[in-house]
Amino acid sequence: MSAEQATALVLRTYDFSESSLVVTLFTREFGKIRGIAKGAKRPKNPFDFALDLLSLCRVVFLRKSSEALHIITEAKLQRRFRVEQSGLPRYYAALYVAELLNAMTDEEDAHPELFDVSEETLTVLQKGGDIQLLVPFYELRILDLTGHSPALDMCVSCGESVRGRASAQSREEGHPTSGANARQEYYFSLLDGGVLCGRCRPGKRGVVLVPASVIDAMEELRGKTPRDVGSLHIAPSVSGQLRGLLGQYVCHLLGQRPRMHEYLGLSGR
Ligand SMILES: [Zn+2]
């Protein structure tokens, strides 16, 4: 067994025995790991209460074989996110960050960029950031960094360029348009994860019609960092629809509804 050191965000903890905890950590160096912290529940312990949910800490662990839990031998608190002080909705959003990190990453698969953007998102949430934009921003970023990036320009099925042709598509398919100023809309496949051209759309399940403004908002969010998300001017109606769309996409990807969706007011369709 070799001793390793890592900077870690605590995603989940549960009691293992009277005195020990099992923790799921997202580390900058090794990605997600799971380990047992023996004696963590005793009054005097080597973990210094650093293994609380959403704590950022420096850990030392003894590496075990692939299936077994690692043994956490030390943890030193670097930072405790106190997002609950910025209101319950932001706290739920912070828990959602932890839930997505746990659900969408594999063990021992390092993603330092995802670690950094997660830490920064939690920092901005704690400072009172706008969850209406930070939640879809974070969903998009974790999707992009884990290989589930939604296709926004090209048809996800055949690769044909789709942007700019959608209103014609909508008319072909007989979708209602609103008078002279027909809104541009795109078909978005929740199963394939991206826009579809009019030729590929027929017969597909799990397709929703999405206004161009929502696709544009996704493009805008993609180029941002958590700190500058607040400078974007996206109408609340658009960010609301975007949250709904990404929430549905995440549900399809995970095969279940994330626990925090209910608390964040996202429907489970
Ligand atoms: Zn196509």
Side-chain angles (χ1 to χ4, degrees):
M1 283 193 299
S2 57
E4 307 273 15
Q5 291 195 25
T7 302
L9 180 69
V10 180
L11 302 184
R12 191 164 177 245
T13 71
Y14 63 88
D15 293 352
F16 182 74
S17 65
E18 285 284 295
S19 61
S20 301
L21 282 179
V22 169
V23 293
T24 305
L25 307 171
F26 190 71
T27 69
R28 193 171 194 283
E29 295 81 352
F30 308 99
K32 185 170 70 181
I33 63 168
R34 291 198 316 130
I36 182 162
K38 290 180 181 165
K41 293 166 66 190
R42 294 208 182 96
K44 246 187 127 28
N45 68 65
F47 306 107
D48 193 24
F49 301 100
L51 295 175
D52 291 339
L53 185 61
L54 294 179
S55 286
L56 195 69
C57 53
R58 190 79 187 149
V59 294
V60 179
F61 64 96
L62 298 175
R63 184 179 279 287
K64 295 293 240 128
S65 63
S66 56
E67 293 300 300
L69 291 170
H70 300 314
I71 296 174
I72 317 269
T73 56
E74 277 177 61
K76 203 165 168 50
L77 183 68
Q78 290 196 324
R79 180 167 184 198
R80 204 182 292 286
F81 290 101
R82 297 196 181 279
V83 184
E84 67 280 7
Q85 293 176 355
S86 297
L88 215 45
R90 290 191 187 88
Y91 180 60
Y92 293 147
L95 295 180
Y96 187 43
V97 166
E99 184 178 14
L100 285 182
L101 274 175
N102 196 7
M104 296 196 53
T105 62
D106 294 320
E107 287 187 34
E108 313 275 344
D109 184 14
H111 281 289
E113 197 183 337
L114 180 55
F115 182 92
D116 293 343
V117 81
S118 303
E119 181 186 354
E120 213 182 309
T121 301
L122 293 172
T123 301
V124 177
L125 280 170
Q126 179 172 274
K127 287 183 179 162
D130 179 1
I131 68 164
Q132 196 68 359
L133 292 178
L134 279 167
V135 167
F137 163 83
Y138 186 76
E139 287 171 325
L140 266 177
R141 187 53 59 89
I142 196 167
L143 290 167
D144 285 348
L145 291 173
T146 55
H148 301 288
S149 191
L152 303 180
D153 283 322
M154 317 269 233
C155 170
V156 70
S157 183
C158 73
E160 188 185 271
S161 176
V162 170
R163 296 276 265 159
R165 296 167 44 102
S167 57
Q169 276 177 29
S170 300
R171 281 195 297 275
E172 273 165 32
E173 301 285 321
H175 284 285
T177 51
S178 51
N181 295 322
R183 277 194 326 171
Q184 276 210 332
E185 289 175 312
Y186 295 88
Y187 302 117
F188 187 96
S189 164
L190 297 169
L191 301 178
D192 298 320
V195 292
L196 286 171
C197 74
R199 274 202 308 275
C200 294
R201 191 260 170 271
K204 293 246 184 212
R205 291 186 310 118
V207 176
V208 289
L209 207 53
V210 179
S213 54
V214 171
I215 304 283
D216 291 343
M218 279 201 266
E219 300 269 27
E220 279 196 77
L221 281 173
R222 263 190 175 158
K224 294 286 182 261
T225 67
R227 281 188 176 80
D228 43 50
V229 160
S231 66
L232 285 175
H233 297 288
I234 293 176
S237 63
V238 173
S239 56
Q241 288 180 82
L242 175 56
R243 285 184 63 189
L245 175 68
L246 287 173
Q248 284 185 71
Y249 180 43
V250 167
C251 287
H252 275 269
L253 265 182
L254 297 180
Q256 62 181 30
R257 185 184 180 195
R259 215 168 75 85
M260 293 317 298
H261 271 195
E262 187 185 337
Y263 296 87
L264 288 168
L266 289 163
S267 72
R269 280 172 303 137

